[in-house]
Amino acid sequence: MSDTDAIRPLLERIAVALERLGPPAAETPDFEAADAFVWHAEPGRFEPVPEVNRVPLALLKGIDHTAGILLDNTRRFAAGLSANNALLWGARGMGKSSLVKAAHADALGRYGKLKLIEIQREDIDSLPRCLSFLKAAPFRFIVFCDDLSFDHDDTSYKSLKAVLEGGIEGRPKNVLFYATSNRRHLMPRDMIDNERATAINPGEATEEKVSLSDRFGLWLGFHNASQDDYLTMVKTYVTHFKLKIDDKELERDALEWSTTRGARSGRVAWQYVQDLAGRLQTPTDKI
């Protein structure tokens, strides 16, 4: 037996052990499987979403101007034209994430070939890896992060900055990034103020933190609903679900509901209508 034959079993065992230590080969995603996916950073896969939980565009009231801007931007992108990344910021429960999903459905129906990819806030630092799959696919993608914000000592925002504008490769031409946040600059106010107060050059100290939001071409603000807008939201849902209730009783009941919640918003209107439908024994499963 030659020396090579003698050590061959040992080499084979070493090769098998090294294969086990290495990461598994990434699967090629099947973007034909659905119109929407959730990106899982570990192990690096796209989970198809058979049915997206969304509200029809016609039911989103009180945000007409903002909705028009995002719709135009999304339609241009779906048609293969230039478009901007968008940051939807402002009051809670005013339809920011609902508008993103509705805009995707609208553009998908018009042009097709548009996929919605949801990425979790905790996985933002894996965004470059996610985009490496998307750029080679024959589709256009909206990568969507809901409730995006960054806390003290969180450096993952640098990955997002590089992807949006600043990196050598930059954002793939077939990808847009949409995010929602309660914070206009995605950073806590006290974090920005502290940097400004303690730095030798306050402007330079805060620019690194604040400049992230500047990478979004669209800033779309959402503000608390007026009483009239809130009642319009409620009545739109009531009409859609064919709920039988007197107008004056509806207004009185809906306003009392918003008072107990301490807010007027699209979310509060939806929650009220869900409660009303339950009391009237009317199903609202199919929106």
Side-chain angles (χ1 to χ4, degrees):
M1 178 184 295
S2 67
D3 291 342
T4 301
D5 293 335
I7 65 172
R8 187 185 301 278
L10 176 60
L11 293 175
E12 290 176 350
R13 288 199 298 273
I14 292 174
V16 170
L18 290 174
E19 287 179 359
R20 290 174 179 171
L21 291 174
E27 297 182 6
T28 301
D30 178 16
F31 290 121
E32 296 278 5
D35 294 323
F37 299 81
V38 176
W39 162 251
H40 296 283
E42 297 298 336
R45 68 182 182 88
F46 295 86
E47 178 185 355
V49 179
E51 184 175 352
V52 178
N53 177 27
R54 54 177 145 220
V55 177
L57 188 61
L59 297 185
L60 298 178
K61 299 298 182 180
I63 54 173
D64 295 349
H65 178 68
T66 305
I69 295 173
L70 190 70
L71 281 172
D72 287 344
N73 192 68
T74 308
R75 289 168 183 171
R76 286 196 298 268
F77 176 67
L81 303 174
S82 298
N84 278 304
N85 301 309
L87 173 62
L88 291 70
W89 67 275
R92 299 187 302 272
M94 280 303 295
K96 297 185 292 293
S97 60
S98 294
L99 179 56
V100 170
K101 291 182 283 189
H104 166 251
D106 172 87
L108 176 66
R110 289 169 180 263
Y111 301 100
K113 294 283 187 179
L114 180 64
K115 305 295 181 178
L116 183 66
I117 308 294
E118 183 176 34
I119 183 171
Q120 303 299 322
R121 154 68 190 87
E122 296 76 13
D123 294 333
I124 282 295
D125 57 357
S126 73
L127 188 55
R129 186 154 49 97
C130 172
L131 297 188
S132 68
F133 290 99
L134 305 185
K135 66 182 180 181
F139 299 97
R140 299 181 80 75
F141 298 92
I142 295 174
V143 178
F144 170 49
C145 185
D146 193 22
D147 199 18
L148 177 64
S149 63
F150 299 94
D151 296 321
H152 301 77
D153 303 321
D154 187 344
T155 60
S156 60
Y157 71 91
K158 295 182 179 180
S159 298
L160 180 55
K161 283 180 65 175
V163 166
L164 292 181
E165 295 290 345
I168 294 176
E169 187 174 11
R171 171 173 54 89
K173 295 185 183 301
N174 66 331
V175 175
L176 272 190
F177 189 82
Y178 285 179
T180 69
S181 179
N182 296 330
R183 301 168 178 170
R184 183 175 183 180
H185 291 295
L186 302 174
M187 306 290 179
R189 182 76 257 174
D190 66 314
M191 180 179 177
I192 297 173
D193 290 342
N194 184 62
E195 292 275 2
R196 184 177 290 118
T198 59
I200 296 175
N201 189 323
E204 290 182 0
T206 57
E207 186 170 342
E208 171 72 7
K209 302 291 191 297
V210 174
S211 63
L212 173 59
S213 58
D214 291 340
R215 307 296 173 101
F216 292 88
L218 291 180
W219 282 9
L220 303 178
F222 290 70
H223 308 287
N224 289 317
S226 66
Q227 179 172 298
D228 287 343
D229 284 340
Y230 168 71
L231 289 175
T232 298
M233 295 169 186
V234 169
K235 291 176 181 178
T236 299
Y237 285 130
V238 166
T239 300
H240 179 78
F241 292 123
K242 299 180 174 59
L243 303 181
K244 305 299 183 183
I245 182 172
D246 177 74
D247 285 346
K248 289 185 178 180
E249 181 184 353
L250 174 63
E251 289 191 11
R252 183 175 61 252
D253 202 27
L255 290 176
E256 181 180 346
W257 179 276
S258 69
T259 300
T260 63
R261 297 302 180 276
R264 292 190 297 261
S265 69
R267 180 177 298 142
V268 172
W270 170 253
Q271 291 167 346
Y272 165 72
V273 170
Q274 290 296 293
D275 180 78
L276 175 63
R279 286 186 276 130
L280 296 176
Q281 300 183 3
T282 303
T284 60
D285 297 337
K286 297 297 184 181
I287 192 168

